Each structure stands twice: as C-alpha cells, then as structure tokens.
Amino acid sequence: MLSFLKNLAGYKADKAIEAGIGFYAKIDPEGLTETELRTMEEALDKLGIEVAAAQQAYDKERKEADAIAALLRQRMAAAELLQSQADAEADPARKAKLEQSLTNLLAMLEQMTPEVEREESEARDAAEFVASLQQSYKEMAEQLKGARAQLEQAQRDMKKAEMARTRADREAESARVAAGLTQRVSGLGVALKAMREQADRDNAQAQSAQMKAKLLRPTKPEQDDPDIAAALAAASGTPRPATGLSDRLAALKAKHG
C-alpha cells in the first residue's frame, strides 16, 4: 500500500486516496494501471528477496542437519564396532575398557539424538517455508504477467477504438462534404431551372411580340391592291387620296363648292 501511495504522488488520507484514484482513473486509466503494475512488481521483487533469504536459511539448516546426521551415523557405526570388539574380547581388562568407551559413546548418541531430530525438523520447516514462498512468488508472477497481458490487450483495444473513431470521423466528414456538395448541386439545379424558365418566358414573349407585329404590319396585298387599300381606308374613316383627274376635280369642288 505504501508503494502504491508513493507511485500515486503521495496521497495521505484514505478518503483522499480513494478520491484521487477515482479521479486519476478517469483522466488517465492507462497511467493508473501502469502504477498498479509497478506496485505489483515492487511487491514481487520484495517477495523474491524473501524467497532468496529463505532459501539461504534453508540451505544452512539443511547443511547443519546433514552434518549432525552424518556425525550420528558415524558414531553409531563406531558404537557398533565397539560393541563387536567388546563381545569378542577375552581379556577382562580390555573388555571393560571397550565397554566403558561404548558407554561413553552411547551417552553421546543419546544426548545428540534430540538435537539431530530438532535440526532435521528445522530443515523440513525451512524447506516448507521456501516452497510456500516460491509458490506465492510463482502465483504473483503469473498475476503480474496476466495483468501486463491485460493491459497490453486493453492498450491494443484502445488503439483500435481510436482508429475506428478516427475512421468514423473521416467517414462522417466525407458524408457532410458529400451532403454539402449535393445541396450545392441541388441549388445549382434550381438556379438552372429558373434560368431556363426565364429564357422560356422571354422566348414566348418575343414570339408573341413578333406575331403581334406581324399581324399589325400591312400585308403586301394591302399595299399593292388599290381597291383593298381604299376599302381599308374607308373602313377606318380615312378618305381615299385623290389620284385620278376626276377624283382631283371632285375633291376641289367639294372643298370650294
């Protein structure tokens, strides 16, 4: 916990720690995970040191247990030899001396037997402790390895999600551009349609004016045929201009009669 606090820049109170971790997780979840992994690595390193120290202690206990066990076996062998020699000795004095030596050796063996058992027990306990620490170290290492793999997978997922978001943003932007272009093309179509309609109206008005001018303009027969011209003039109330002699005379009489 102290290592974790150190890696998180020294939060002190529990509530402040929880609040800080929650806030930090929101703004930098990857950084928080890295902090947790470093904390796990520190704990693993510390446990590794303990494993090494326990192994050294076990090696020492094992060496001492083996040494005293070897001494016990040596003395047992010596006792058996003295026993054989005493049983085979005919000289009473020599036999008594061998038996005394055997007695002394047996006393030594009896005294050292509990010590041998204690040393063996301590060696077994040390071995079990080392095995327990090694198992804990292995499990913690596996947890760290799994957490690292999960972090790497999460980083890959975040990268893929970022790429997908970027791609989606580009596609959305392309869609917006396409939509804007469609709107502009649509607007251009409206403008062109309005221009065509205006041109059609102008052409229709021009045709109408031409037809009207053509209808109002005297035709060639009206200009060339005097009878038609006279009739048109009479119909319009315009006197026919005098052209012949009789007509001219009649016009003068009518004017000065």
Side-chain angles (χ1 to χ4, degrees):
M1 187 61 179
L2 292 177
S3 298
F4 187 69
L5 296 180
K6 180 182 65 178
N7 290 328
L8 283 176
Y11 288 109
K12 302 300 181 181
D14 291 341
K15 291 184 179 179
I17 295 170
E18 293 176 0
I21 292 175
F23 176 73
Y24 188 51
K26 292 180 180 179
I27 62 174
D28 188 9
E30 186 175 352
L32 178 60
T33 305
E34 286 288 355
T35 300
E36 292 175 341
L37 289 178
R38 285 197 298 270
T39 302
M40 291 178 66
E41 289 176 357
E42 290 178 359
L44 184 64
D45 292 340
K46 181 179 179 180
L47 182 57
I49 295 173
E50 293 180 2
V51 171
Q55 184 66 50
Q56 292 176 354
Y58 165 73
D59 292 341
K60 179 181 178 182
E61 293 292 340
R62 183 75 269 170
K63 184 176 181 180
E64 291 175 352
D66 291 343
I68 195 170
L71 179 59
L72 177 65
R73 289 192 297 272
Q74 182 183 10
R75 289 176 175 177
M76 287 290 294
E80 291 175 355
L81 179 58
L82 287 174
Q83 179 69 55
S84 299
Q85 291 175 352
D87 292 342
E89 184 59 50
D91 183 6
R94 176 61 179 167
K95 184 178 182 65
K97 187 174 184 308
L98 290 172
E99 289 177 348
Q100 183 60 49
S101 297
L102 178 58
T103 300
N104 294 337
L105 185 56
L106 289 174
M108 294 173 58
L109 289 170
E110 290 171 350
Q111 290 177 357
M112 72 178 301
T113 296
E115 183 67 18
V116 172
E117 293 174 352
R118 185 183 63 79
E119 290 291 340
E120 184 62 32
S121 177
E122 290 179 354
R124 285 195 303 268
D125 291 342
E128 292 175 359
F129 183 61
V130 170
S132 176
L133 288 179
Q134 288 176 339
Q135 181 63 29
S136 297
Y137 184 87
K138 180 180 179 181
E139 292 174 356
M140 185 177 292
E142 289 296 328
Q143 290 177 355
L144 179 59
K145 181 179 178 181
R148 173 63 65 181
Q150 291 176 358
L151 174 60
E152 293 174 353
Q153 181 62 48
Q155 290 172 337
R156 288 193 294 268
D157 291 343
M158 289 176 62
K159 186 64 177 179
K160 288 172 61 179
E162 181 181 358
M163 293 175 63
R165 180 177 59 81
T166 301
R167 183 169 59 252
D169 290 344
R170 288 200 299 266
E171 291 175 355
E173 180 62 23
S174 298
R176 285 194 293 270
V177 172
L181 179 60
T182 300
Q183 292 176 355
R184 287 193 291 272
V185 171
S186 177
L188 178 59
V190 172
L192 292 176
K193 181 180 178 182
M195 292 172 67
R196 285 195 294 267
E197 291 176 350
Q198 182 62 42
D200 291 342
R201 286 194 296 269
D202 292 343
N203 288 332
Q205 291 177 358
Q207 291 177 0
S208 177
Q210 290 175 358
M211 291 176 62
K212 184 177 182 181
K214 184 176 181 180
L215 290 173
L216 294 176
R217 186 171 58 245
T219 61
K220 192 172 182 62
E222 292 175 327
Q223 295 176 348
D224 295 342
D225 191 326
D227 293 328
I228 294 177
L232 288 172
S236 62
T238 302
R240 178 183 176 183
T243 57
L245 294 177
S246 58
D247 292 333
R248 292 168 63 186
L249 180 59
L252 288 172
K253 288 180 178 180
K255 182 176 181 181
H256 298 284

